[in-house]
Amino acid sequence: MINRTRRLRKTENIRRLVRENKLTIDDLIYPLFIEEGENIETEIKSMPGIKRFSLDKISTELDEVTALDIPAVLLFGIPSKKDDTGTETWNDDGIVQKAIRFIKKNYPKLYVITDVCFCEYTSHGHCGVIHNNDVDNDATLVNLAKQTISHAKAGADMVAPSGMMDGTIITMREALDNTGYYDLPIMGYSVKYSSAFYGPFRDAADSAPTFGDRKTYQMDPANRDEGMREATFDDVEGADILMVKPALSYLDIIRDLKNNFDRPIACYNVSGEYAMIKAAGEKGWIDEERVMMESLLSMKRAGADIIITYFAKEVAKILKRD
Ligand code: PBG
């Protein structure tokens, strides 16, 4: 007898009944690039549709995000001045801190997550303090605590460290707990690879390293077991959400985390993944909308509960329409 799996694919309605995964607006986090200054609304060349905004220009974008019911934004700051250690990151009047206050005042329901890192703020573009041509882990942790508290004081709803320093989560958790922010959650960029897919982001955030690369802190794309180790440490140190980054080339890692940790799993659909689909779409080589939806659905199927994506607005529009 033939096993007839096609029986359950006959019509759209039966396909709806047996469909295992679904992408929803509730899954989405939209990244925002906020630049210090005025009157800035600059399209990022390698990320069509994505702009850097100064605060005085961001309302239209935020109106749209909230009208589309996207639950959260992830903030990246682009400061007007950089230095060796990224001191602007813990300036209570820094660009991210101002942005948090602006958003919480004018869009109180929008959930504000901040990227906690240094590379946009350091003159050398690395994610911490440099000693002997490499990022000094523990010196960076001291500054990380200061940055975290500054974001918390400004009113961030969640902090998300992306620097891949050892001891990041425990340092931030203790700093937050000791200052009364015991209720503020941390989303760990727990398994973050040293990836070429970040290329367009580094244009966007002006954060490419001026020397060397990030291989002494970000993970080797060849490694899977090590991802489990990284996630275990973040889990034990108390990260509330574990993230995998990038997403599309690391769906196996997303599934590993989903199977092994009892925490919400997020993934970051990064700039290069966005740029590839946009570029092929522009050329008419793929059906951009369908490829976008299929790749995001694959992240859900792999086990992601949350997807950080530059496609968030487009996806939300489609989901509202359908
Ligand atoms: C900063 C950071 C990066 C991204 C998010 N936070 C770049 C990097 O590590 O070089 C990448 C996001 C993207 O490519 O969309 N550490």
Side-chain angles (χ1 to χ4, degrees):
M1 201 195 44
I2 295 175
N3 283 305
R4 297 195 185 273
T5 48
R6 290 181 60 193
R7 281 184 200 125
L8 298 184
R9 295 181 199 137
K10 262 194 170 346
T11 68
E12 178 55 16
N13 277 11
I14 182 61
R15 290 193 293 271
R16 280 173 61 199
L17 286 170
V18 299
R19 188 159 291 146
E20 298 173 36
N21 291 286
K22 197 170 178 182
L23 186 64
T24 78
I25 297 176
D26 300 338
D27 306 322
L28 306 173
I29 297 175
Y30 186 54
L32 284 178
F33 297 103
I34 307 191
E35 185 168 351
E36 200 151 27
E38 272 161 35
N39 213 17
I40 302 166
E41 190 175 342
T42 319
E43 186 146 36
I44 298 152
K45 264 228 302 298
S46 48
M47 300 173 74
I50 304 296
K51 292 174 178 170
R52 290 156 64 142
F53 293 97
S54 51
L55 270 185
D56 57 337
K57 285 287 189 180
I58 200 145
S59 292
T60 322
E61 182 82 340
L62 290 167
D63 289 344
E64 208 182 341
V65 168
T66 45
L68 286 166
D69 223 12
I70 294 169
V73 288
L74 174 61
L75 303 186
F76 293 94
I78 301 150
S80 53
K81 46 182 188 290
K82 305 186 185 220
D83 61 24
D84 265 13
T85 49
T87 54
E88 263 300 292
T89 57
W90 64 85
N91 174 356
D92 290 343
D93 274 319
I95 181 62
V96 166
Q97 289 82 351
K98 279 191 205 144
I100 299 166
R101 287 194 293 265
F102 177 85
I103 299 172
K104 292 314 297 182
K105 177 157 173 256
N106 297 294
Y107 305 85
K109 279 199 353 214
L110 187 59
Y111 196 82
V112 175
I113 309 171
T114 57
D115 182 85
V116 181
C117 196
F118 296 93
C119 56
E120 301 110 76
Y121 293 81
T122 50
S123 37
H124 43 74
H126 277 286
C127 304
V129 178
I130 299 289
H131 281 158
N132 300 328
N133 264 352
D134 193 10
V135 178
D136 182 319
N137 196 88
D138 296 14
T140 302
L141 292 181
V142 175
N143 295 343
L144 196 69
K146 294 189 235 172
Q147 184 182 167
T148 304
I149 300 305
S150 183
H151 288 188
K153 277 199 298 195
D157 293 304
M158 182 185 278
V159 283
S162 65
M164 289 297 278
M165 293 303 123
D166 296 328
T168 289
I169 302 297
I170 187 75
T171 300
M172 290 174 63
R173 190 66 272 156
E174 281 177 358
L176 289 167
D177 290 356
N178 291 338
T179 45
Y181 296 104
Y182 46 79
D183 260 345
L184 197 83
I186 304 174
M187 173 161 65
Y189 282 68
S190 306
V191 192
K192 177 173 176 183
Y193 288 89
S194 175
S195 170
F197 285 97
Y198 307 148
F201 174 92
R202 293 182 186 172
D203 293 344
D206 195 13
S207 66
T210 53
F211 69 91
D213 50 41
R214 302 207 205 288
K215 287 182 186 161
T216 65
Y217 41 107
Q218 298 181 348
M219 272 180 58
D220 184 340
N223 295 355
R224 183 170 175 182
D225 296 344
E226 191 187 354
M228 288 291 291
R229 213 140 65 221
E230 285 284 358
T232 301
F233 293 143
D234 278 13
D235 182 43
V236 170
E237 291 175 26
D240 298 277
I241 297 175
L242 305 174
M243 190 213 298
V244 175
K245 180 183 173 187
L248 211 45
S249 297
Y250 298 87
L251 297 176
D252 54 335
I253 313 298
I254 297 174
R255 176 45 59 182
D256 280 347
L257 263 57
K258 185 67 182 171
N259 286 348
N260 289 288
F261 295 94
D262 187 19
R263 302 260 190 201
I265 306 300
C267 68
Y268 199 139
N269 174 218
V270 300
S271 57
E273 300 170 32
Y274 177 83
M276 289 195 303
I277 291 178
K278 283 284 167 193
E282 257 173 34
K283 277 188 176 288
W285 289 354
I286 57 170
D287 180 330
E288 185 179 318
E289 183 176 311
R290 288 186 56 209
V291 172
M292 166 182 79
M293 295 305 274
E294 189 176 327
S295 59
L296 293 170
L297 181 62
S298 76
M299 293 163 205
K300 286 291 304 259
R301 196 191 60 238
D305 301 294
I306 299 167
I307 303 175
I308 302 161
T309 179
Y310 304 100
F311 286 120
K313 287 195 306 179
E314 284 172 73
V315 172
K317 278 177 206 158
I318 290 165
L319 293 174
K320 276 202 185 290
R321 180 191 75 196
D322 291 344

